[in-house]
Short mmCIF file of all heavy atoms in Angstrom, two decimals:
data_model
loop_
_atom_site.label_atom_id
_atom_site.label_comp_id
_atom_site.label_asym_id
_atom_site.label_seq_id
_atom_site.Cartn_x
_atom_site.Cartn_y
_atom_site.Cartn_z
N VAL A 11 -14.10 -6.75 -14.34
CA VAL A 11 -13.17 -6.84 -13.22
C VAL A 11 -11.73 -6.74 -13.71
O VAL A 11 -10.90 -6.03 -13.12
CB VAL A 11 -13.39 -8.16 -12.46
CG1 VAL A 11 -12.35 -8.34 -11.36
CG2 VAL A 11 -14.79 -8.21 -11.85
N MET A 12 -11.43 -7.44 -14.79
CA MET A 12 -10.09 -7.37 -15.35
C MET A 12 -9.75 -5.95 -15.81
O MET A 12 -8.62 -5.49 -15.64
CB MET A 12 -9.96 -8.34 -16.53
CG MET A 12 -10.03 -9.80 -16.13
SD MET A 12 -10.23 -10.90 -17.56
CE MET A 12 -8.72 -10.53 -18.47
N MET A 13 -10.74 -5.25 -16.36
CA MET A 13 -10.51 -3.88 -16.81
C MET A 13 -10.08 -2.98 -15.66
O MET A 13 -9.24 -2.08 -15.83
CB MET A 13 -11.78 -3.33 -17.46
CG MET A 13 -11.74 -1.86 -17.81
SD MET A 13 -10.42 -1.42 -18.97
CE MET A 13 -11.14 -2.05 -20.49
N ALA A 14 -10.62 -3.21 -14.46
CA ALA A 14 -10.29 -2.37 -13.31
C ALA A 14 -8.82 -2.48 -12.91
O ALA A 14 -8.32 -1.63 -12.16
CB ALA A 14 -11.18 -2.73 -12.12
N GLY A 15 -8.13 -3.49 -13.41
CA GLY A 15 -6.71 -3.62 -13.12
C GLY A 15 -5.84 -3.52 -14.36
O GLY A 15 -4.70 -4.01 -14.35
N SER A 16 -6.36 -2.90 -15.42
CA SER A 16 -5.65 -2.90 -16.71
C SER A 16 -5.39 -1.49 -17.22
O SER A 16 -5.92 -1.08 -18.27
CB SER A 16 -6.46 -3.70 -17.74
OG SER A 16 -6.62 -5.04 -17.32
N CYS A 17 -4.59 -0.75 -16.49
CA CYS A 17 -4.17 0.58 -16.94
C CYS A 17 -2.92 0.98 -16.17
O CYS A 17 -2.53 0.31 -15.20
CB CYS A 17 -5.28 1.61 -16.74
SG CYS A 17 -5.81 1.83 -15.01
N ASP A 18 -2.30 2.05 -16.59
CA ASP A 18 -1.04 2.49 -15.97
C ASP A 18 -1.21 2.76 -14.48
O ASP A 18 -0.31 2.49 -13.69
CB ASP A 18 -0.53 3.75 -16.67
CG ASP A 18 -0.10 3.49 -18.10
OD1 ASP A 18 0.05 2.30 -18.48
OD2 ASP A 18 0.07 4.47 -18.86
N GLU A 19 -2.37 3.32 -14.10
CA GLU A 19 -2.60 3.65 -12.70
C GLU A 19 -2.59 2.41 -11.81
O GLU A 19 -2.20 2.48 -10.64
CB GLU A 19 -3.94 4.38 -12.55
CG GLU A 19 -3.94 5.80 -13.07
CD GLU A 19 -4.06 5.88 -14.59
OE1 GLU A 19 -4.10 4.83 -15.25
OE2 GLU A 19 -4.11 7.01 -15.10
N ALA A 20 -3.02 1.26 -12.34
CA ALA A 20 -3.06 0.03 -11.56
C ALA A 20 -1.79 -0.81 -11.73
O ALA A 20 -1.59 -1.78 -10.99
CB ALA A 20 -4.28 -0.82 -11.96
N TRP A 21 -0.94 -0.43 -12.67
CA TRP A 21 0.28 -1.19 -12.94
C TRP A 21 1.53 -0.46 -12.45
O TRP A 21 2.65 -0.94 -12.64
CB TRP A 21 0.42 -1.46 -14.44
CG TRP A 21 -0.41 -2.64 -14.88
CD1 TRP A 21 -1.72 -2.85 -14.64
CD2 TRP A 21 0.04 -3.74 -15.68
NE1 TRP A 21 -2.14 -4.02 -15.22
CE2 TRP A 21 -1.07 -4.59 -15.87
CE3 TRP A 21 1.26 -4.10 -16.25
CZ2 TRP A 21 -1.00 -5.78 -16.60
CZ3 TRP A 21 1.34 -5.28 -16.99
CH2 TRP A 21 0.22 -6.11 -17.17
N GLY A 22 1.36 0.68 -11.84
CA GLY A 22 2.52 1.42 -11.35
C GLY A 22 2.10 2.49 -10.37
O GLY A 22 0.91 2.70 -10.12
N GLY A 23 3.07 3.15 -9.79
CA GLY A 23 2.76 4.22 -8.85
C GLY A 23 2.27 3.71 -7.52
O GLY A 23 2.42 2.54 -7.16
N GLU A 24 1.64 4.60 -6.77
CA GLU A 24 1.19 4.28 -5.42
C GLU A 24 0.13 3.20 -5.40
O GLU A 24 0.06 2.40 -4.46
CB GLU A 24 0.65 5.55 -4.75
CG GLU A 24 0.31 5.40 -3.28
CD GLU A 24 1.52 5.16 -2.40
OE1 GLU A 24 2.66 5.39 -2.88
OE2 GLU A 24 1.36 4.75 -1.24
N ALA A 25 -0.72 3.14 -6.43
CA ALA A 25 -1.82 2.17 -6.46
C ALA A 25 -1.45 0.87 -7.17
O ALA A 25 -2.34 0.05 -7.45
CB ALA A 25 -3.03 2.79 -7.13
N MET A 26 -0.20 0.63 -7.43
CA MET A 26 0.21 -0.58 -8.13
C MET A 26 -0.31 -1.83 -7.42
O MET A 26 -0.14 -2.00 -6.22
CB MET A 26 1.74 -0.64 -8.21
CG MET A 26 2.28 -1.84 -8.93
SD MET A 26 4.10 -1.78 -9.00
CE MET A 26 4.47 -3.28 -9.88
N GLY A 27 -0.97 -2.69 -8.18
CA GLY A 27 -1.52 -3.92 -7.63
C GLY A 27 -2.94 -3.80 -7.15
O GLY A 27 -3.60 -4.82 -6.89
N PHE A 28 -3.46 -2.56 -7.03
CA PHE A 28 -4.84 -2.34 -6.62
C PHE A 28 -5.66 -2.08 -7.87
O PHE A 28 -5.20 -2.21 -8.99
CB PHE A 28 -4.89 -1.14 -5.66
CG PHE A 28 -6.14 -1.07 -4.81
CD1 PHE A 28 -6.35 -2.01 -3.81
CD2 PHE A 28 -7.07 -0.07 -5.01
CE1 PHE A 28 -7.48 -1.95 -3.01
CE2 PHE A 28 -8.21 0.01 -4.22
CZ PHE A 28 -8.42 -0.94 -3.23
N TRP A 29 -6.93 -1.72 -7.71
CA TRP A 29 -7.76 -1.42 -8.87
C TRP A 29 -7.82 0.08 -9.09
O TRP A 29 -7.49 0.88 -8.21
CB TRP A 29 -9.16 -1.99 -8.71
CG TRP A 29 -9.98 -1.47 -7.56
CD1 TRP A 29 -10.05 -2.01 -6.31
CD2 TRP A 29 -10.85 -0.33 -7.55
NE1 TRP A 29 -10.90 -1.27 -5.51
CE2 TRP A 29 -11.41 -0.23 -6.26
CE3 TRP A 29 -11.21 0.62 -8.50
CZ2 TRP A 29 -12.30 0.78 -5.90
CZ3 TRP A 29 -12.10 1.63 -8.15
CH2 TRP A 29 -12.64 1.69 -6.86
N ALA A 30 -8.24 0.46 -10.28
CA ALA A 30 -8.38 1.87 -10.62
C ALA A 30 -9.54 2.03 -11.60
O ALA A 30 -10.10 1.05 -12.10
CB ALA A 30 -7.08 2.40 -11.25
N LEU A 31 -9.91 3.27 -11.88
CA LEU A 31 -10.95 3.55 -12.87
C LEU A 31 -10.32 3.54 -14.25
O LEU A 31 -10.18 4.56 -14.93
CB LEU A 31 -11.60 4.90 -12.57
CG LEU A 31 -12.29 5.00 -11.20
CD1 LEU A 31 -12.80 6.42 -10.97
CD2 LEU A 31 -13.44 4.00 -11.11
N CYS A 32 -9.94 2.33 -14.67
CA CYS A 32 -9.12 2.19 -15.87
C CYS A 32 -9.87 2.52 -17.15
O CYS A 32 -9.27 2.99 -18.12
CB CYS A 32 -8.55 0.77 -15.94
SG CYS A 32 -7.32 0.42 -14.67
N PHE A 33 -11.15 2.27 -17.19
CA PHE A 33 -11.94 2.58 -18.38
C PHE A 33 -11.84 4.08 -18.68
O PHE A 33 -11.57 4.49 -19.81
CB PHE A 33 -13.40 2.17 -18.18
CG PHE A 33 -14.21 2.14 -19.44
CD1 PHE A 33 -14.43 0.95 -20.11
CD2 PHE A 33 -14.76 3.30 -19.96
CE1 PHE A 33 -15.18 0.92 -21.28
CE2 PHE A 33 -15.51 3.29 -21.12
CZ PHE A 33 -15.72 2.09 -21.79
N ASP A 34 -12.02 4.89 -17.63
CA ASP A 34 -11.92 6.34 -17.81
C ASP A 34 -10.48 6.77 -18.04
O ASP A 34 -10.20 7.64 -18.87
CB ASP A 34 -12.49 7.06 -16.59
CG ASP A 34 -14.00 6.91 -16.47
OD1 ASP A 34 -14.66 6.79 -17.53
OD2 ASP A 34 -14.51 6.89 -15.35
N ALA A 35 -9.56 6.16 -17.30
CA ALA A 35 -8.15 6.55 -17.41
C ALA A 35 -7.62 6.31 -18.83
O ALA A 35 -6.79 7.09 -19.33
CB ALA A 35 -7.31 5.78 -16.40
N ARG A 36 -8.12 5.27 -19.48
CA ARG A 36 -7.66 4.96 -20.84
C ARG A 36 -8.52 5.64 -21.90
O ARG A 36 -8.29 5.44 -23.11
CB ARG A 36 -7.66 3.44 -21.03
CG ARG A 36 -6.60 2.73 -20.20
CD ARG A 36 -6.77 1.22 -20.23
NE ARG A 36 -6.65 0.69 -21.57
CZ ARG A 36 -6.84 -0.61 -21.87
NH1 ARG A 36 -7.14 -1.47 -20.89
NH2 ARG A 36 -6.73 -1.04 -23.11
N GLU A 37 -9.52 6.40 -21.48
CA GLU A 37 -10.38 7.15 -22.39
C GLU A 37 -10.94 6.24 -23.49
O GLU A 37 -10.78 6.48 -24.69
CB GLU A 37 -9.62 8.32 -23.00
CG GLU A 37 -9.11 9.30 -21.94
CD GLU A 37 -8.36 10.48 -22.55
OE1 GLU A 37 -7.95 10.38 -23.73
OE2 GLU A 37 -8.17 11.49 -21.85
N LEU A 38 -11.65 5.23 -23.06
CA LEU A 38 -12.18 4.22 -23.98
C LEU A 38 -13.62 4.50 -24.43
O LEU A 38 -14.23 3.67 -25.11
CB LEU A 38 -12.12 2.85 -23.33
CG LEU A 38 -10.73 2.26 -23.11
CD1 LEU A 38 -10.80 0.97 -22.29
CD2 LEU A 38 -10.06 1.99 -24.45
N TRP A 39 -14.16 5.66 -24.07
CA TRP A 39 -15.55 5.92 -24.40
C TRP A 39 -15.79 5.99 -25.91
O TRP A 39 -16.83 5.53 -26.39
CB TRP A 39 -16.02 7.21 -23.72
CG TRP A 39 -16.19 7.04 -22.24
CD1 TRP A 39 -15.39 7.55 -21.26
CD2 TRP A 39 -17.22 6.30 -21.59
NE1 TRP A 39 -15.85 7.16 -20.02
CE2 TRP A 39 -16.98 6.39 -20.20
CE3 TRP A 39 -18.31 5.54 -22.04
CZ2 TRP A 39 -17.79 5.78 -19.26
CZ3 TRP A 39 -19.13 4.92 -21.10
CH2 TRP A 39 -18.86 5.05 -19.73
N ASP A 40 -14.87 6.54 -26.65
CA ASP A 40 -15.04 6.60 -28.10
C ASP A 40 -15.05 5.21 -28.72
O ASP A 40 -15.88 4.91 -29.60
CB ASP A 40 -13.93 7.45 -28.74
CG ASP A 40 -14.09 8.93 -28.42
OD1 ASP A 40 -15.19 9.35 -28.00
OD2 ASP A 40 -13.09 9.68 -28.55
N GLU A 41 -14.14 4.36 -28.27
CA GLU A 41 -14.10 2.99 -28.77
C GLU A 41 -15.37 2.23 -28.37
O GLU A 41 -15.91 1.44 -29.15
CB GLU A 41 -12.87 2.26 -28.22
CG GLU A 41 -11.54 2.72 -28.80
CD GLU A 41 -10.96 3.93 -28.06
OE1 GLU A 41 -11.70 4.55 -27.27
OE2 GLU A 41 -9.78 4.25 -28.29
N PHE A 42 -15.84 2.51 -27.17
CA PHE A 42 -17.07 1.86 -26.68
C PHE A 42 -18.26 2.26 -27.56
O PHE A 42 -19.07 1.42 -27.97
CB PHE A 42 -17.30 2.27 -25.23
CG PHE A 42 -18.35 1.47 -24.51
CD1 PHE A 42 -18.22 0.11 -24.35
CD2 PHE A 42 -19.48 2.09 -23.99
CE1 PHE A 42 -19.18 -0.64 -23.69
CE2 PHE A 42 -20.45 1.37 -23.32
CZ PHE A 42 -20.30 0.00 -23.17
N GLU A 43 -18.36 3.53 -27.86
CA GLU A 43 -19.46 4.02 -28.70
C GLU A 43 -19.34 3.47 -30.12
O GLU A 43 -20.35 3.14 -30.76
CB GLU A 43 -19.46 5.55 -28.72
CG GLU A 43 -20.47 6.17 -29.67
CD GLU A 43 -21.91 5.91 -29.27
OE1 GLU A 43 -22.17 5.63 -28.07
OE2 GLU A 43 -22.79 5.98 -30.16
N ALA A 44 -18.10 3.35 -30.62
CA ALA A 44 -17.92 2.84 -31.98
C ALA A 44 -18.36 1.38 -32.10
O ALA A 44 -18.96 0.99 -33.11
CB ALA A 44 -16.45 2.99 -32.39
N GLU A 45 -18.08 0.58 -31.08
CA GLU A 45 -18.46 -0.84 -31.12
C GLU A 45 -19.90 -1.07 -30.70
O GLU A 45 -20.55 -2.00 -31.17
CB GLU A 45 -17.52 -1.66 -30.22
CG GLU A 45 -16.10 -1.75 -30.75
CD GLU A 45 -15.32 -2.90 -30.12
OE1 GLU A 45 -15.96 -3.88 -29.66
OE2 GLU A 45 -14.07 -2.81 -30.10
N LEU A 46 -20.41 -0.20 -29.81
CA LEU A 46 -21.78 -0.35 -29.32
C LEU A 46 -22.49 0.99 -29.51
O LEU A 46 -22.64 1.77 -28.57
CB LEU A 46 -21.78 -0.76 -27.84
CG LEU A 46 -21.00 -2.03 -27.49
CD1 LEU A 46 -21.00 -2.26 -25.99
CD2 LEU A 46 -21.58 -3.23 -28.20
N PRO A 47 -22.91 1.29 -30.72
CA PRO A 47 -23.50 2.61 -31.03
C PRO A 47 -24.70 2.93 -30.14
O PRO A 47 -25.57 2.09 -29.90
CB PRO A 47 -23.94 2.45 -32.50
CG PRO A 47 -23.08 1.36 -33.04
CD PRO A 47 -22.86 0.42 -31.90
N GLY A 48 -24.70 4.15 -29.64
CA GLY A 48 -25.79 4.62 -28.80
C GLY A 48 -25.61 4.32 -27.33
O GLY A 48 -26.40 4.80 -26.50
N SER A 49 -24.57 3.59 -26.98
CA SER A 49 -24.38 3.19 -25.58
C SER A 49 -23.95 4.34 -24.69
O SER A 49 -24.13 4.28 -23.47
CB SER A 49 -23.35 2.06 -25.49
OG SER A 49 -22.12 2.47 -26.05
N THR A 50 -23.37 5.39 -25.26
CA THR A 50 -22.89 6.50 -24.44
C THR A 50 -23.87 7.68 -24.42
O THR A 50 -23.58 8.70 -23.78
CB THR A 50 -21.52 7.00 -24.95
OG1 THR A 50 -21.68 7.50 -26.29
CG2 THR A 50 -20.51 5.88 -24.94
N LEU A 51 -24.98 7.55 -25.12
CA LEU A 51 -25.98 8.63 -25.11
C LEU A 51 -26.67 8.70 -23.75
O LEU A 51 -26.59 7.75 -22.97
CB LEU A 51 -27.01 8.39 -26.22
CG LEU A 51 -26.46 8.37 -27.65
CD1 LEU A 51 -27.59 8.07 -28.63
CD2 LEU A 51 -25.79 9.69 -28.00
N ARG A 52 -27.34 9.78 -23.50
CA ARG A 52 -28.03 9.95 -22.22
C ARG A 52 -29.54 9.95 -22.43
O ARG A 52 -30.05 10.23 -23.52
CB ARG A 52 -27.59 11.25 -21.54
CG ARG A 52 -26.10 11.27 -21.17
CD ARG A 52 -25.75 12.53 -20.40
NE ARG A 52 -24.34 12.55 -20.04
CZ ARG A 52 -23.82 11.96 -18.97
NH1 ARG A 52 -24.62 11.30 -18.14
NH2 ARG A 52 -22.53 12.03 -18.71
N GLY A 53 -30.24 9.66 -21.33
CA GLY A 53 -31.69 9.68 -21.37
C GLY A 53 -32.29 8.51 -22.12
O GLY A 53 -31.67 7.45 -22.27
N GLU A 54 -33.48 8.72 -22.65
CA GLU A 54 -34.21 7.64 -23.29
C GLU A 54 -33.57 7.20 -24.61
O GLU A 54 -33.83 6.09 -25.09
CB GLU A 54 -35.66 8.06 -23.55
CG GLU A 54 -36.46 8.29 -22.26
CD GLU A 54 -37.91 8.63 -22.55
OE1 GLU A 54 -38.26 8.72 -23.75
OE2 GLU A 54 -38.67 8.83 -21.59
#
């Protein structure tokens, strides 16, 4: 929940104070995969 309000899109501009897709906006998928290996793979 905190992540949804923790990026530039949620801290400024028209959506300031609302939530945003901050995980994607901050491009955290590489960091996510590095800390949790295999979490971004698809399928089985």
Side-chain angles (χ1 to χ4, degrees):
V11 175
M12 292 168 61
M13 172 60 76
S16 299
C17 60
D18 293 346
E19 288 79 358
W21 279 51
E24 187 67 15
M26 181 179 180
F28 199 69
W29 62 268
L31 299 175
C32 291
F33 194 98
D34 291 329
R36 291 171 61 184
E37 300 180 343
L38 291 173
W39 288 108
D40 289 343
E41 289 86 347
F42 192 60
E43 174 66 22
E45 291 199 24
L46 305 176
S49 58
T50 63
L51 299 178
R52 296 185 180 276
E54 294 183 359

